[in-house]
Amino acid sequence: MEQDARRKLVRVALAAVLLVVLKIVEKSLAFPMLALFFLYLVPYLVVGYDVLAEAWEEIREGEVFSEDFLMGIATIGALVIGFLPGAEPEFTEAVFVMLFFQVGEIFEDMAEDNSRKSITRLMDIRPDTANVERDGKVLVVDPNEVAVGETIVVKPGEKVPMDGVVVEGASSLDTVALTGESAPREVSVGDSVYSGCVNQRGLIRMKVSKVFGESTASKILELVEHASEGKSHSERFITRFARIYTPVVVVGALAVAFLPPLFSGDFLASFSTWLIRALTFLVVSCPCALVISVPLTFFSGIGCASKQGILVKGSNYLEALSQAGIVVFDKTGTLTKGVFEVTAVHPSEMDETQLLHLAAHVERYSTHPIAASLRAAYPHEADSCTVEDVEEVAGQGVRATVNGRVVCVGNTKLMDAIGAQWKPCEKTGTIIHVAVDGIYAGHIVISDAVKGDSKEAIQNLKAEGVRKTVMLTGDRKEVAESVAKELGLDECHAELLPADKVDWVEKLLASKEQGRTLAFVGDGINDAPVLARADVGIAMGAMGSDAAIDAADVVLMDDKPSKIALVVRIARRTLAIAKENVVFAIAVKVAVLVLAAFGLATMWMAVFADVGVMVLAVLNATRALNQKG
Ligand code: ADP
Ligand code: MG
């Protein structure tokens, strides 16, 4: 428990004890009214002074109708009502209302603390130190002080403090904090490792590739810390609602207090009765259950998603996901593994090895999955050849100068652009053509497999109420159609450049149903514009891809498409819980308000209605945190 909450709890306990003592003393000794007032003022102020101070503060800031204000006038009214002719004193009630209000606040603090902890605990990836090698010695330093290019040592059991590449040793890394899944990742020399993983076995030495502030762990932490800033419509609605509702209630209370006595003929005789009803009215009307539980529900929903390795950058995106009507996917690396295998090599001017050799060289610096597979197909790529002027054309391929000759590696669009006479291929698969100095040199056929859970992901999305699933790809039509058919996608559009993908998303956005949203899912490789254009941009495989973390609204730490259906489900349940809370709170309030206006509800009932509703609403909100996948 936070210190504030603990202090508040002590005050509540102290006030409760004082109240009990007062009750006993009051029975045995006959105090005059004024003395009682001052005696009860002690526990009242002990428990509620900060509420009064807050209310005053808010009034000075121009926000007259806060919930502290409602509580303040209701309780002050109850304290002084006893001095009216013919009225019963309500001292106990006044202290009790304050006491309960504070219990509710403590409760809410604890619940919020809980969701925050479960977000940060699961994201417990902040490394405290790094073991850096300097002048042959290993020094333990703050990770912020380690520069790119330095060598650090990660011992078994330690967190990897920053991103880098293994230069010595092998181990398995536990990525559970990042992905929500505990499958270990084996790494050895040459592999990239990301900060936030835990080294399980061997000692590894690694060369730092990013400063701490730009490493995966820092980026994710930053994202998590700001997750609750994006406000959803529901939350904004509640704020607006409270702004109108509270003044209305205050006017209502004034009407209850003054109108009936005015019309009764004998104002003084009935005023105290109606005033106590008006005060009860004020206590019931406090909108805290709403104001507190809706944001808390969203916060818990975001916490639940992060447990599964899904980072949602704000409640607004959670809300948008719950209304997803169209989900658009990128193909390569998103629905398919993005791990291509070379299935055929058809050279025109040279032998197979030479063709693979050229392709691997041109692709030396590209991060595209195709590039990785071409490099893998020619493992002796690091020879003495010179590779210069590398230029990657998104959605088409790469151009580079290899030993003085301009080599282009890519699809037919690229070949057409340079006027090379490409030859079609009868094989199915992605065809990568190669041209040297504008002369066609042959092609390499590569193929990719769909991910194991892609089909299930599409089915589950449909089950969650998504109307349309669409695939957009830069790959060939034949390949695209076979994937779309295999997965049961509703639409697929192939041979697109990144700009064409944006156009398609615009078209789909225009066609979507009222009140529904469009989500785009990509792997972050050349699809940042589309991620930004969609209502919700989802990037997967964020471990290691900064562009994806930055451009997306929702980040999947691993690259499982089934997580998309999962986050939609979490979003829908979270929204349902938020709605339950709103309906429940308003219904109970209205009922008690009506009772209070007719004098059927006592101030005791009002307190229980108010705090009870709030406690139930908070408990309900925390259900959003503990949803099962
Ligand atoms: P997707 O939409 O399936 O993710 P991209 O837009 O990334 O595909 O790429 C579309 C096409 O452009 C690829 O199928 C390939 O033909 C070509 N291409 C893109 N990048 C490269 C590259 N680095 N090397 C060769 N071809 C590439
Ligand atoms: Mg792609």
Side-chain angles (χ1 to χ4, degrees):
M1 210 192 289
E2 304 244 337
Q3 210 184 351
D4 275 358
R6 209 172 298 150
R7 213 173 279 154
K8 216 174 241 182
L9 196 63
V10 171
R11 281 167 46 204
V12 167
L14 185 61
V17 171
L18 284 174
L19 196 61
V20 173
V21 172
L22 266 179
K23 282 265 120 190
I24 298 167
V25 176
E26 186 194 27
K27 284 252 162 61
S28 39
L29 302 163
F31 284 108
M33 184 80 105
L34 198 62
L36 276 179
F37 170 78
F38 282 111
L39 284 174
Y40 276 100
L41 201 57
V42 177
Y44 175 78
L45 289 178
V46 164
V47 72
Y49 75 89
D50 56 340
V51 175
L52 299 180
E54 273 291 309
W56 179 239
E57 187 73 6
E58 276 154 344
I59 290 171
R60 286 217 326 223
E61 281 166 14
E63 192 148 332
V64 181
F65 296 113
S66 62
E67 57 188 67
D68 297 303
F69 171 73
L70 283 181
M71 281 300 154
I73 48 171
T75 51
I76 291 173
L79 279 177
V80 299
I81 200 168
F83 295 100
L84 285 178
E88 289 286 308
E90 303 273 348
F91 299 131
T92 324
E93 284 81 354
V95 180
F96 223 80
V97 168
M98 250 332 165
L99 219 140
F100 258 70
F101 180 67
Q102 295 285 44
V103 169
E105 297 264 287
I106 294 174
F107 201 74
E108 181 233 333
D109 272 0
M110 278 164 54
E112 187 171 321
D113 214 42
N114 234 333
S115 338
R116 194 180 302 280
K117 278 217 188 83
S118 84
I119 292 179
T120 41
R121 180 176 18 145
L122 288 149
M123 286 292 141
D124 182 21
I125 52 179
R126 189 190 299 283
D128 305 315
T129 56
N131 311 316
V132 65
E133 283 186 0
R134 285 183 190 149
D135 307 324
K137 269 186 269 171
V138 177
L139 307 173
V140 180
V141 298
D142 184 325
N144 277 306
E145 288 167 18
V146 181
V148 170
E150 285 197 286
T151 304
I152 57 172
V153 180
V154 186
K155 296 178 202 153
E158 282 183 348
K159 263 174 243 158
V160 176
M162 35 218 311
D163 296 0
V165 178
V166 178
V167 290
E168 193 187 310
S171 181
S172 54
L173 301 179
D174 181 357
T175 59
V176 67
L178 293 174
T179 61
E181 249 149 84
S182 47
R185 203 173 139 246
E186 301 297 326
V187 291
S188 55
V189 174
D191 288 335
S192 302
V193 289
Y194 305 111
S195 46
C197 302
V198 175
N199 183 3
Q200 289 183 315
R201 290 192 278 117
L203 184 116
I204 51 175
R205 286 177 72 230
M206 53 183 274
K207 197 166 170 168
V208 173
S209 61
K210 284 202 189 112
V211 292
F212 181 63
E214 279 166 23
S215 285
T216 308
S218 303
K219 290 234 163 195
I220 291 165
L221 282 167
E222 199 177 304
L223 201 151
V224 168
E225 274 152 23
H226 295 104
S228 51
E229 278 173 15
K231 286 274 172 287
S232 64
H233 290 293
S234 323
E235 283 166 281
R236 281 198 297 262
F237 165 76
I238 293 298
T239 320
R240 272 207 313 272
F241 176 81
R243 208 172 290 149
I244 301 164
Y245 167 88
T246 318
V248 168
V249 163
V250 172
V251 171
L254 286 175
V256 170
F258 288 97
L259 291 185
L262 275 180
F263 289 109
S264 73
D266 186 358
F267 184 87
L268 275 185
S270 56
F271 180 59
S272 64
T273 316
W274 287 101
L275 183 59
I276 190 81
R277 288 184 191 176
L279 294 176
T280 311
F281 195 87
L282 282 182
V283 175
V284 194
S285 64
C286 177
C288 10
L290 289 178
V291 172
I292 286 162
S293 77
V294 171
L296 188 63
T297 309
F298 277 99
F299 195 58
S300 303
I302 292 176
C304 176
S306 53
K307 276 194 214 177
Q308 317 274 352
I310 306 165
L311 304 179
V312 182
K313 289 193 187 172
S315 325
N316 46 340
Y317 301 117
L318 205 62
E319 189 170 48
L321 273 176
S322 75
Q323 295 152 351
I326 305 177
V327 179
V328 183
F329 296 89
D330 177 50
K331 179 180 78 76
T332 311
T334 305
L335 289 173
T336 65
K337 289 182 182 150
V339 182
F340 291 86
E341 264 173 38
V342 173
T343 51
V345 184
H346 297 158
S348 291
E349 298 287 326
M350 49 182 74
D351 68 28
E352 292 191 4
T353 333
Q354 276 172 314
L355 192 68
L356 283 172
H357 171 228
L358 274 180
H361 272 47
V362 171
E363 300 281 7
R364 183 175 285 177
Y365 304 106
S366 172
T367 52
H368 200 280
I370 290 177
S373 63
L374 292 177
R375 284 196 299 263
Y378 187 83
H380 329 290
E381 173 243 330
D383 53 23
S384 57
C385 301
T386 59
V387 183
E388 297 160 321
D389 306 328
V390 185
E391 187 198 344
E392 183 146 3
V393 191
Q396 296 193 6
V398 188
R399 180 198 326 253
T401 309
V402 180
N403 295 335
R405 294 192 298 171
V406 177
V407 184
C408 292
V409 177
N411 54 19
T412 54
K413 283 207 179 87
L414 184 67
M415 294 297 119
D416 290 340
I418 59 164
Q421 294 295 313
W422 54 273
K423 293 202 188 90
C425 183
E426 77 292 348
K427 292 226 177 221
T428 42
T430 304
I431 318 280
I432 303 298
H433 300 273
V434 181
V436 179
D437 285 331
I439 311 289
Y440 190 62
H443 52 250
I444 301 165
V445 186
I446 58 181
S447 58
D448 187 6
V450 299
K451 287 181 190 167
D453 62 338
S454 289
K455 190 164 183 168
E456 181 197 329
I458 306 289
Q459 282 167 352
N460 291 349
L461 280 172
K462 295 250 148 132
E464 288 303 326
V466 170
R467 306 285 159 83
K468 194 164 23 170
T469 53
V470 183
M471 181 174 80
L472 301 179
T473 177
D475 207 346
R476 294 167 66 209
K477 204 164 173 167
E478 291 83 346
V479 180
E481 276 169 358
S482 85
V483 171
K485 205 160 141 218
E486 184 179 343
L487 297 180
L489 290 152
D490 299 315
E491 271 180 35
C492 98
H493 306 282
E495 294 172 29
L496 306 173
L497 295 175
D500 302 331
K501 292 189 188 173
V502 177
D503 288 347
W504 266 109
V505 167
E506 304 265 355
K507 252 184 246 173
L508 290 163
L509 277 170
S511 78
K512 75 184 178 190
E513 287 167 65
Q514 179 82 30
R516 289 294 194 141
T517 57
L518 179 146
F520 177 84
V521 192
D523 62 351
I525 292 172
N526 71 41
D527 43 25
V530 214
L531 281 174
R533 188 63 195 88
D535 295 320
V536 195
I538 307 175
M540 49 168 58
M543 284 175 68
S545 164
D546 295 353
I549 298 187
D550 291 340
D553 309 314
V554 175
V555 178
L556 307 186
M557 299 312 300
D558 52 19
D559 48 15
K560 292 220 168 89
S562 52
K563 291 277 174 83
I564 299 154
L566 180 63
V567 70
V568 170
R569 185 153 71 220
I570 292 174
R572 289 169 61 104
R573 286 199 199 146
T574 304
L575 261 288
I577 293 174
K579 277 198 194 116
E580 273 166 31
N581 275 349
V582 171
V583 171
F584 169 65
I586 294 183
V588 175
K589 299 250 138 159
V590 168
V592 186
L593 278 181
V594 171
L595 290 178
F598 289 106
L600 296 171
T602 61
M603 197 164 251
W604 294 95
M605 270 174 77
V607 181
F608 281 113
D610 183 50
V611 178
V613 168
M614 175 158 126
V615 168
L616 287 178
V618 167
L619 283 177
N620 197 27
T622 52
R623 270 177 51 217
L625 179 67
N626 301 318
Q627 301 174 53
K628 292 269 147 44

